[in-house]
Amino acid sequence: MNKILYCCVISLLGSAFAKAQSPQYSKIDSTMLRSIYNYNLTESDSYEWLDYLSNNIGGRLSGSIQAERAVDYTENEIKKFADRTELQSVMVPKWSRGTPEFAYIQLNDLSTINVNICALGGSIPTRQEGLKAPVIEVKSLEELSSLGREQIEGKIVFYNRPMDPKKIQTFEAYGGCVDQRYSGAEEAGKYGAVAVIVRSMNLRLDDYPHTGFMSYGDLPVENFIPAAAISTNDAEKLSAYLALDKELKFYLKQDCTVWGDVESFNVIGEIKGTRYPDEYIIVGGHLDSWDLGDGSHDDGAGVVQSMQVLKTLKELNYKPQRTIMVVLFMNEENGLKGAREYAKQAELKNEKHIFALESDAGGFSPRGFSFDTTTKQMKVIESWKPLFKPYLIHFFELGGSGADVGPLKGANTVLAGLRPDSQRYFDFHHAANDTFDAVNKRELELGAATMTSLVYLFDKYGIEN
Amino acid sequence: MNKILYCCVISLLGSAFAKAQSPQYSKIDSTMLRSIYNYNLTESDSYEWLDYLSNNIGGRLSGSIQAERAVDYTENEIKKFADRTELQSVMVPKWSRGTPEFAYIQLNDLSTINVNICALGGSIPTRQEGLKAPVIEVKSLEELSSLGREQIEGKIVFYNRPMDPKKIQTFEAYGGCVDQRYSGAEEAGKYGAVAVIVRSMNLRLDDYPHTGFMSYGDLPVENFIPAAAISTNDAEKLSAYLALDKELKFYLKQDCTVWGDVESFNVIGEIKGTRYPDEYIIVGGHLDSWDLGDGSHDDGAGVVQSMQVLKTLKELNYKPQRTIMVVLFMNEENGLKGAREYAKQAELKNEKHIFALESDAGGFSPRGFSFDTTTKQMKVIESWKPLFKPYLIHFFELGGSGADVGPLKGANTVLAGLRPDSQRYFDFHHAANDTFDAVNKRELELGAATMTSLVYLFDKYGIEN
């Protein structure tokens, strides 16, 4: 009996403890969330803003005239509802694609097959006449290294490890492959390769080559080699032809230019907090994009959703306790200079950022958020989950936030990233088909509503210290 | 102290009871689910089957040659992996669209604006020369009834209540509108209207008219009037023109034919149970579709996912305890004759169906299932939820299953419907853009894997009696 009594007391204490972690929200909050979703699904501007960014401005590579137009456009739109806007100056790298890339496979009988490629961002060009060389296919940087200079020198290295279709979260499949794109040229350059072509980071088999950032790392400039992505269909083809004809040659011509750094801007807008104006909540996406498509999913969606968070709160006549800011970061794609500058200035000004939320995973149906925070704070966040159930938001997990809010990481800042359904994201990522028509209006709006709801809760309840 | 002791004992009893509801699964099950998902994401046939059904056969309206080709094709495919197949004869209604519909708005100044319409399934044609009449716009059957014969007679009734964008589950928005399509002609016919045009059941603004089933109910044949759907963009236009010009006329011409019933078939395939062969688990979708598109989401996706459930279990060398059947129902869209025949035969043969799962909500990213069952059984089902968490399946809710499994409802049958993300479903539903390219391979495969996993669990654990 004593033992049972002991268990009971423990159990009661357990209940009491559980009580301390019980839901931190009220009926008012569920009404507010309903208003936020209703507003977004019926009156929001996010889809129109995205239409303009995608169809009127287009791809917005850092340092391009399109990026500067996007700065102007978004600042002007934000001025319509924010208490204050600011353009935060930042130096960003500038790289341009030049005339369209061209490539073909030349078989032993001299017949040729054109293939779809694109230069990787940051790559040097080929000589004007292009280059032609035999190809060696590898599945990894490790395989490359095991082959050594003897088998690599004078050849084009073809990295052909596909994204793993068994990963449910496609970003994990991306993470398992992207070393080929980012470091492929640096590693192949060490062994005297003349160029690299990388299978596109795409789970589908289609004809779109997907660009993305690459780096030569510490490679001496004289060892830099051109780097291109090849569509998944053509990667399959090239691999099949290589199995039949190891002597085939690959012709590659690209015309890109690496320029010096140029000035650009983070676009910032704020609604002043009424009670704790010195506590900042920021919500953002990145204004730059790759140049092949319109950057509608990556990250036009995140940009307009973040703008919509502030506009929604304003239109619903909500007076935030804390200062809420939208930050449209410049240069996420090829440098992260905007994010670093923002974090640096925040530190210099000793600003207290309590919560930073990023949307940079596409404008698809929202599923929830991932958080970078303490277990204690996570318990509070989890207690809000029931509020989101009517909106089918179920994913509240520890583990990562986003590239642009990452530099704000600190003991008292909760970082988070919106997690939309990821199944179709890499169909469009960094490719010519990342266009406005690939974004569904409702899915975009539901994402903005979900972000607004979380921002509202952080504003109302603050964070645990 | 006594009181506390009392509480403790109650609490302990509570725990013991909770224990009885604790997870009913083992490590083996999570391994099995992983194998099911891996197989579907790497080796399944579902996408190729859908390609054939959509692109080689096309829209499969009951009684059409395409529907008969679909019966042949799926039976032949199922034969490759099932222990037994069967074609279950059923008489189905036959209706055909004929030559393309044509409609325009004629303003007072006799200028005309062409609009996109399609006949509703089951509608009578117009006379060959078409009909032209003034239009009266209403938002509901109630509004129609309040207007009465004086304002309706001789006119075309234009039903223009949009789907409610505030509904998170789009099927609820559909449910709140579809009375206009189903009963609009019957009701307007009572007041002497000459035709009805119904705003398409679509949350987007676009140019596609969406067909669907309508009924004249108990209306005398001489009062039947033609019924058509108009695209959402053109519904907006027509409403705007009516506001400016109440005297405008609408011209409508359609050429559809209502034929007599014809014979068709449910396609059935089974894998025999090793331990309880007389306990049936069925999984199905409907083989017929509307004729405007390819019926890829509605319900080609459900058809191939259901076939894939059996094929996956077979390929993984799983020996089911119960008999598992795939049932491809004929005539869900305009009669439900296949589902009724299947249920009738099951009852006549006194077959014990323990679980019936339907997929008829599109080939989108799966979110979970809705169930029609007892609270007791639901507790067991909920205990399986953690098994599905790695696959982001979170929605296990009481409330509805599906039209085709509905007639099997009985005390000892658990009914369920797959619930994919519904945001984009009505962009395609019953329209010309419901085509193969609108279905994402991974999303389709994840749906099939999720269905297979649930079928596996019901096979292994049976149901509570």
Side-chain angles (χ1 to χ4, degrees), chain A residues 54-107:
Chain A
S54 298
N55 290 321
N56 192 302
I57 296 176
R60 304 167 292 281
L61 201 48
S62 288
S64 67
I65 187 77
Q66 291 87 345
E68 297 323 298
R69 282 192 65 202
V71 167
D72 282 352
Y73 172 67
T74 52
E75 190 199 14
N76 282 328
E77 289 300 312
I78 293 169
K79 270 186 181 153
K80 296 176 186 168
F81 55 83
D83 298 335
R84 182 183 78 83
T85 62
E86 178 189 338
L87 294 187
Q88 185 174 58
S89 173
V90 57
M91 294 304 287
V92 297
K94 180 177 162 101
W95 174 88
S96 64
R97 186 170 300 280
T99 54
E101 301 88 339
F102 181 58
Y104 58 79
I105 297 164
Q106 185 180 68
L107 300 177

Side-chain angles (χ1 to χ4, degrees), chain A residues 50 53-55 60 289 293-302 362-363 434-439 444:
Chain A
L50 185 64
L53 268 182
S54 298
N55 290 321
R60 304 167 292 281
S289 78
D294 300 336
S296 292
H297 276 296
D298 186 14
D299 182 27
D434 183 6
T435 49
F436 182 63
D437 57 295
V439 177
L444 181 77

Side-chain angles (χ1 to χ4, degrees), chain B residues 147-411:
Chain B
L147 290 172
R149 178 169 283 270
E150 196 180 336
Q151 291 192 63
I152 303 294
E153 193 161 28
K155 291 190 186 142
I156 295 175
V157 174
F158 168 35
Y159 292 99
N160 193 27
R161 183 166 83 261
M163 289 173 73
D164 182 356
K166 299 189 296 301
K167 300 287 187 196
I168 304 299
Q169 311 245 32
T170 61
F171 283 87
E172 284 181 27
Y174 180 67
C177 264
V178 73
D179 61 336
Q180 301 173 99
R181 190 192 77 205
Y182 187 76
S183 305
E186 177 186 4
E187 295 304 315
K190 290 178 187 167
Y191 300 107
V194 295
V196 298
I197 44 180
V198 183
R199 182 191 181 98
S200 286
M201 306 287 124
N202 178 7
L203 281 152
R204 272 169 59 104
L205 289 173
D206 65 27
D207 295 330
Y208 294 102
H210 292 229
T211 190
F213 193 37
M214 55 78 61
S215 162
Y216 294 108
D218 297 328
L219 205 63
V221 176
E222 61 274 21
N223 293 353
F224 284 17
I225 54 175
I230 184 168
S231 78
T232 47
N233 270 341
D234 288 335
E236 294 283 303
K237 264 187 219 166
L238 177 55
S239 183
Y241 289 127
L242 273 171
L244 295 172
D245 176 0
K246 292 220 180 321
E247 311 297 311
L248 68 76
K249 293 204 170 57
F250 194 92
Y251 172 84
L252 173 68
K253 177 172 163 24
Q254 55 190 33
D255 182 33
C256 31
T257 309
V258 183
W259 308 85
D261 286 4
V262 297
E263 189 186 25
S264 189
F265 304 92
N266 293 325
V267 180
I268 301 171
E270 84 173 27
I271 296 178
K272 200 80 180 167
T274 51
R275 194 163 166 196
Y276 311 109
D278 296 338
E279 289 191 16
Y280 293 98
I281 291 173
I282 74 163
V283 56
H286 63 86
L287 197 48
D288 65 310
S289 78
W290 285 104
D291 56 329
L292 294 173
D294 299 336
S296 292
H297 276 296
D298 186 14
D299 184 27
V303 164
V304 301
Q305 287 172 327
S306 300
M307 289 164 63
Q308 189 66 57
V309 170
L310 268 70
K311 172 127 198 216
T312 301
L313 293 174
K314 187 86 176 182
E315 291 291 319
L316 293 178
N317 209 21
Y318 177 73
K319 308 284 179 219
Q321 300 191 49
R322 278 121 181 135
T323 294
I324 301 182
M325 305 211 290
V326 53
V327 183
L328 307 180
F329 297 96
M330 184 51 70
N331 187 229
E332 190 273 345
E333 293 293 5
N334 55 339
L336 215 64
K337 293 293 173 68
R340 292 200 181 110
E341 183 63 25
Y342 182 84
K344 185 177 139 193
Q345 293 298 330
E347 199 182 347
L348 284 174
K349 290 183 267 175
N350 207 19
E351 285 170 352
K352 186 178 177 190
H353 282 69
I354 66 155
F355 179 51
L357 171 61
E358 177 169 334
S359 168
D360 185 17
F364 301 97
S365 229
R367 307 288 294 258
F369 302 94
S370 64
F371 294 91
D372 186 350
T373 185
T374 60
T375 323
K376 188 177 165 197
Q377 181 64 46
M378 197 62 203
K379 281 214 192 319
V380 177
I381 294 166
E382 276 167 356
S383 80
W384 297 334
K385 259 182 101 166
L387 279 171
F388 288 87
K389 199 176 177 210
Y391 311 103
L392 305 175
I393 300 303
H394 64 101
F395 186 87
F396 279 52
E397 300 286 333
L398 269 174
S401 53
D404 281 314
V405 297
L408 287 168
K409 193 173 165 79

